[in-house]
Amino acid sequence: IMVLGHVRCGAVAATVAALRAGERPAGDVGYLVDEIAPAALAAGLDDPDATEKAMRVHVGRTARRMRDVTGVPAAVAAGRVSVVGAVYDLDTGWVDLLT
């Protein structure tokens, strides 16, 4: 299972912007902000590279959460499945494995 983030992610940028402004968007964007906010806060909103760092933290968090999905722990323990996080670079096409 690959959790794949990508550089210049609009959802992560929207989350960082919303948290910096102290406003939660409505609808689906608000849901995404809720999901990504812990990673953005962990990355540090004052950091100039907050969006990039938050994306990487979010990928790692999501990969860890995937390891707890029903059936996945047993499949990992049996060696049938691995869970990894990665980042896709839109400019180069390269994928950087994180975990």
Side-chain angles (χ1 to χ4, degrees), residues 5-81:
H6 62 88
V7 298
R8 297 188 309 275
C9 178
V12 175
T15 298
V16 170
L19 291 173
R20 285 177 174 163
E23 299 176 3
R24 182 191 182 276
D28 291 338
V29 175
Y31 168 78
L32 289 173
V33 167
D34 293 343
E35 288 295 313
I36 300 168
L41 293 170
L45 296 176
D46 294 331
D47 191 312
D49 295 323
T51 300
E52 177 70 17
K53 289 179 180 178
M55 179 271 300
R56 290 175 176 272
V57 171
H58 183 61
V59 166
R61 286 183 76 247
T62 304
R64 284 189 297 279
R65 288 172 59 191
M66 287 300 301
R67 291 182 184 108
D68 293 331
V69 170
T70 302
V72 173
V76 169
R80 295 189 316 266
V81 171

